[in-house]
Amino acid sequence: MKKYINKYLFISLGLALSLIVVASLRQAIESNTGDAFNPVETKANSPVENFELTIAETKSINIATYNIARGKGTDGIRDILRTGSILKNFDIIGLNEVGGFPFTNHAEQLGNQLGLPWLFAANQKRWFYNYFGNGVLSNLPVSGWKSQMLPRDVKKNRAFRNYVVTHFHWQGKELAVITTHLGRGDLVGVQLNQVMKEFQQYPHAILMGDFNLKPDDPIWAEQVGQQTYTEADSSMSSTNQLLVGHSERVDYIFLRGLKVLDSGHHPRGISDHPLIWAKVALIPDRDASHISESTSQ
């Protein structure tokens, strides 16, 4: 009898260990779509819907992109509330390196802290839940979103990467906002090419995130048409240029059909990346047509 008990015990232990190994492996999440963000936890009678309508009609919006490093600062302290402390007063926030947990994620936690509807666009599962990816926070009305996995070389680069496109209503226009975090190595140019093709489909669009490309990387010259976008953060580079004055920079905001009213950044510390922000407004259709004609000559 004891012999059989030991046999079943070893089998059970083996199955348990196998399950742990399988659960610990990172698995890619297929592309996904949706028609709304997750609602923020609000108090009763909170005027969220009226606020969305007000935001949709404002002449300018404040946008930001931030690689939050899963809430970990350069001091080694992991505190997502501290991360949220520098994300106030933005209308659209793109997040990279967003961590997931069994019953919550950093996008949800930050959304509740800031009072902003949220989206967690995970690119991988681990331990049977959405483990890691990008996020978006915004009070602008959403008409739909999609997440798209980016190609990767399984042998050379195991990192899972994706981008998420959100379609917002703003001033009677559709505004496409693309948030991404590109990989490293040989495939970064391929990934950038796919993201730029998506970006160039929309007359009014924002592309932002961690591109893992420094300003002097030759891939920019190969992939990015300077005439078709504005590089938003004039505190780090002048319009339409990627200057080498910030040679370690990898985070950017690009615009189509929009103009920059103000911009800046919050230095590294709360994360190992700076927060990049810009205040933007729509370019009137007549001005956009004029710009398009002049750049095509």
Side-chain angles (χ1 to χ4, degrees):
M1 188 68 170
K2 184 178 180 180
K3 178 180 178 180
Y4 287 108
I5 292 176
N6 289 338
K7 177 181 177 181
Y8 289 124
L9 179 60
F10 281 120
I11 292 174
S12 299
L13 288 174
L15 291 173
L17 289 173
S18 299
L19 183 62
I20 291 172
V21 170
V22 170
S24 69
L25 297 176
R26 301 169 191 260
Q27 298 178 327
I29 292 178
E30 296 300 323
S31 301
N32 205 352
T33 61
D35 56 10
F37 279 12
N38 296 282
V40 66
E41 293 180 359
T42 57
K43 297 180 181 179
N45 302 319
S46 176
V48 172
E49 293 184 3
N50 292 335
F51 181 64
E52 285 184 352
L53 293 174
T54 302
I55 289 292
E57 298 304 321
T58 57
K59 299 299 183 182
S60 65
I61 54 174
N62 296 312
I63 61 176
T65 182
Y66 197 26
N67 183 325
I68 65 172
R70 301 189 72 176
K72 185 178 180 180
T74 55
D75 56 6
I77 297 174
R78 197 179 297 276
D79 183 355
I80 199 65
L81 292 178
R82 184 174 64 169
T83 301
S85 68
I86 64 168
L87 288 171
K88 298 177 180 179
N89 302 318
F90 292 112
D91 302 303
I92 302 175
I93 304 170
L95 302 172
N96 305 130
E97 295 195 15
V98 178
F101 308 93
F103 302 106
T104 186
N105 58 75
H106 287 139
E108 179 181 18
Q109 293 169 7
L110 290 170
N112 289 332
Q113 180 182 350
L114 299 168
L116 295 173
W118 58 273
L119 172 67
F120 178 35
N123 54 36
Q124 59 188 274
K125 284 184 177 291
R126 194 181 187 196
W127 304 113
F128 304 113
Y129 61 83
N130 291 347
Y131 181 75
F132 194 75
N134 298 307
V136 187
L137 311 175
S138 181
N139 253 324
L140 280 170
V142 175
S143 59
W145 62 268
K146 71 172 183 179
S147 63
Q148 179 68 48
M149 292 298 293
L150 289 167
R152 67 189 183 96
D153 187 330
V154 178
K155 294 182 179 179
K156 295 182 179 180
N157 183 3
R158 299 189 300 168
F160 298 93
R161 306 290 180 177
N162 70 346
Y163 66 90
V164 55
V165 186
T166 304
H167 298 278
F168 294 103
H169 293 299
W170 180 41
Q171 291 194 64
K173 303 286 187 181
E174 180 186 271
L175 175 64
V177 177
I178 305 171
T179 300
T180 193
H181 183 188
L182 302 186
R184 301 175 184 271
D186 297 338
L187 275 180
V188 66
V190 177
Q191 294 175 348
L192 177 62
N193 183 56
Q194 181 174 337
V195 171
M196 290 302 299
K197 285 183 177 179
E198 182 80 43
F199 178 49
Q200 292 169 355
Q201 292 182 32
Y202 309 106
H204 303 96
I206 299 169
L207 169 61
M208 57 185 174
D210 177 355
F211 289 77
N212 271 317
L213 291 168
K214 297 177 182 179
D216 60 351
D217 196 300
I219 291 178
W220 287 121
E222 297 172 3
Q223 299 285 356
V224 180
Q226 293 283 348
Q227 295 86 359
T228 62
Y229 75 94
T230 296
E231 201 285 306
D233 182 21
S234 59
S235 73
M236 286 190 170
S237 63
S238 61
T239 301
N240 284 333
Q241 295 182 15
L242 294 165
L243 302 183
V244 297
H246 293 262
S247 59
E248 298 302 313
R249 182 184 179 193
V250 295
D251 305 277
Y252 306 91
I253 298 176
F254 300 128
L255 308 172
R256 282 175 54 83
L258 303 167
K259 59 184 177 181
V260 182
L261 303 180
D262 194 9
S263 63
H265 71 282
H266 190 286
R268 296 175 178 86
I270 294 178
S271 168
D272 60 348
H273 287 251
L275 178 149
I276 311 296
W277 66 269
K279 182 178 183 179
V280 302
L282 286 171
I283 297 175
D285 292 338
R286 61 182 183 275
D287 296 337
S289 299
H290 175 72
I291 292 171
S292 177
E293 292 172 2
S294 64
T295 56
S296 62
Q297 294 177 356

